[in-house]
């Protein structure tokens, strides 16, 4: 699905280069730059940088710093920045290769008469496709700049491609946007978070990136309704009276009736975050787009759960209320789960099936019936997906998990996770991604992977793991909060550390609650529920922890 137009996002990233005065370099990133449609650079709303040109007689250090400062001006394809470059190199330098978010101080050192190095520490990177990767730990890089004399003036004969932003500037000029794709059953919309410059052409950049397809790590787990090769015909999305006018290439004519409706749904959801857009109008090379807008059923976005905590308490299993009562589950399911002495359990979205972990293994409970599917030692808490599979991981084996059908039929699913002790494993509510928390020799590590399935929806493998920020200390638990955020808990000497991370975005460390944490789960509306060792259940919806008034022997996971 990744077509030539992926570079429009590269253009978006490179359209503004803002550096701190001390940030005197550019960062190279791996991978070739794709050719394709371009988007005209225009100034940011309310921001228009006019950098200085080279000063006659400046030494190498001044030229280097001037080149960096000139990166703030994207006008004329970084015309002023290129004035600091040697004539033969000026058009070779590519600022569109990626963005590095700077952390801490930098140093410039001389290594030869015509060569300087620049050492920086990166906290995050954004690649040419707008994909954000947060550094798990600060990463130091040393970059080389070479110089030459031209007409008696020093000019840069070599500079690494790419740009650097300080965190403050990055947060000011970049905005996180979600592109939406479908799960293979078309029941759910799945977000693919990207970062775009905050400018008037954002809608064009979002549409172009959507047409180019999902991030590499998501490929195979999600699908797009747009026929392969579909591009923006007019090279831009215009907005008139709140309506985004999207003109597509003739490739879109190959779409089926259902896919035409889904194409509109993808565009509408992906452009919904643009304040100026309230609706979408599609044409194909200027012609009317026949779209069964009123037909079909919309895919579910960000599936939510019951706001009441799911608990096991004594011989009661169900949804807890603050008055101390527990609402029973349907069809005697709660009584069945309670009889199994659960140490962990996960309830299906329908509320009719539970995957139960106890001291004897993992059991599938349906109404009054129970079927033990795994009696192995060292199993982590089971996870149930929306396609009828119970996922079971083993603490001592990070390279495979088992997906059991509800009838107990096992399917071995290979992973490429690093070695360590698997602490928790959970599938997202849309069943397209999995979250694994591992205790390694270097501390907790948290990974998200695409769930790849066969034509019959049976899991076959897990895609390349994408690492996101994990809590420090001793790994305790991790969970999906919503369709884009995950949470991890580590126990430290000073209490539980809780880190909420956006897949493809930034992370935030929440305030530490008092005591010892045992389990974390995602609650309703993007909230986080945390069970403590004293059996109390806390809730966080923002920056603080509130007591729910609920106590639990076991805090269950809702699908």
């Amino acid at each position: 699905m990744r077509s030539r137009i992926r570079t429009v996002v590269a253009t978006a990233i490179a359209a503004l280069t803002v550096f701190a005065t001390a940030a005197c370099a550019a960062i190279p990133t791996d991978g070739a730059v794709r050719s394709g449609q371009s988007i005209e650079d225009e100034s940011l709303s309310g921001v228009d940088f006019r950098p200085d040109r080279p000063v006659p007689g400046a030494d190498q250090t001044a030229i280097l710093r001037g080149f960096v400062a000139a990166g703030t001006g994207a006008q004329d394809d970084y015309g002023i920045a290129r004035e600091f470059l040697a004539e033969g190199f000026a058009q070779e330098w590519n600022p569109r290769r990626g963005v590095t978010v700077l952390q801490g101080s930098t140093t410039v050192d001389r290594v030869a008469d015509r060569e300087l190095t620049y050492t920086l520490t990166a906290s995050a990177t954004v690649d040419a496709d707008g994909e954000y990767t947060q550094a798990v730990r600060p990463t130091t890089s040393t970059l080389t700049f070479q110089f030459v004399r031209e007409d008696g003036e020093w000019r840069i004969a070599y500079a690494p491609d790419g740009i650097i932003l300080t965190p403050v500037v990055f947060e000011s000029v970049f905005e996180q946007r979600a592109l939406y794709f479908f799960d293979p059953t078309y029941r759910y919309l799945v977000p693919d978070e990207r970062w775009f410059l905050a400018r008037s052409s954002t809608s064009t950049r979002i549409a172009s990136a959507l047409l180019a397809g999902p991030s590499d790590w998501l490929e195979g787990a999600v699908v797009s309704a747009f026929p392969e090769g579909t591009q923006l015909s007019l090279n831009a999305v215009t907005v008139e009276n709140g309506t985004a006018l999207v003109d597509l290439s003739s490739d879109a004519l190959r779409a089926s009736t259902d896919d035409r409706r889904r194409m509109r749904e993808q565009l509408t959801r992906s452009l919904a975050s643009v304040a100026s857009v309230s609706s979408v109008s599609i044409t194909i090379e200027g012609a009317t787009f026949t779209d069964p807008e009123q037909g079909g059923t919309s895919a579910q976005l960000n599936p939510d759960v019951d706001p009441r905590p799911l608990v096991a308490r004594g011989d009661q299993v169900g949804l807890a209320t603050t008055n101390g009562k527990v609402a029973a589950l349907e069809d005697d399911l709660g009584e069945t789960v309670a009889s199994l002495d659960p140490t962990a359990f996960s309830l299906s979205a329908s509320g009719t099936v539970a995957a139960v972990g106890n001291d004897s293994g993992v059991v599938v409970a349906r109404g009054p019936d129970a079927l033990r599917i795994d009696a192995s030692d060292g199993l982590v808490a089971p996870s149930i997906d929306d396609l009828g599979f119970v996922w079971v991981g083993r603490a001592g084996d990070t390279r495979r998990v088992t997906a059991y059908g509800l009838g107990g039929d096992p399917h071995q699913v290979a992973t490429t996770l690093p070695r360590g002790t698997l602490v928790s494993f959970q599938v997202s509510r849309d069943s397209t991604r999995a979250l694994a928390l591992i205790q390694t020799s270097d501390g907790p590590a948290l990974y998200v992977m695409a769930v790849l399935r066969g034509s019959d929806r049976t899991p076959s493998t897990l895609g390349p793991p994408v690492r996101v920020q994990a809590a420090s200390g001793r790994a305790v638990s991790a969970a999906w909060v919503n369709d884009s955020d995950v949470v991890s808990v580590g126990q430290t000497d000073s209490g539980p550390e809780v880190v909420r991370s956006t897949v493809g975005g930034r992370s935030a460390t929440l305030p530490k609650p008092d005591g010892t944490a045992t389990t974390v789960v995602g609650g309703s509306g993007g909230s986080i529920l945390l069970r403590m060792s004293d059996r109390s259940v806390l809730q966080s919806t923002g920056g603080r922890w509130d007591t729910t008034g609920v106590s639990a022997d076991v805090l269950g996971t809702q699908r």
Side-chain angles (χ1 to χ4, degrees), residues 35 42 48 65 99 150 229 240 245 297 299 314 381 389 399 413 504-505:
S35 61
E42 73 284 339
D48 191 14
R65 295 189 182 279
V99 181
E150 287 187 348
E240 296 180 4
L245 307 177
T297 302
F389 292 91
R399 295 306 177 97
V413 182

Side-chain angles (χ1 to χ4, degrees), residues 307 309 322 498 510-514 527-532 534-551 555:
T322 55
V498 184
L510 304 183
K512 286 185 178 181
D514 295 329
S527 65
I528 298 170
L529 297 175
L530 187 65
R531 181 190 180 271
M532 309 301 290
D534 64 1
R535 302 174 62 245
S536 65
V537 177
L538 307 180
Q539 181 178 32
S540 174
T541 54
R544 67 178 189 180
W545 293 100
D546 297 316
T547 301
T548 63
V550 171
S551 63
L555 183 60

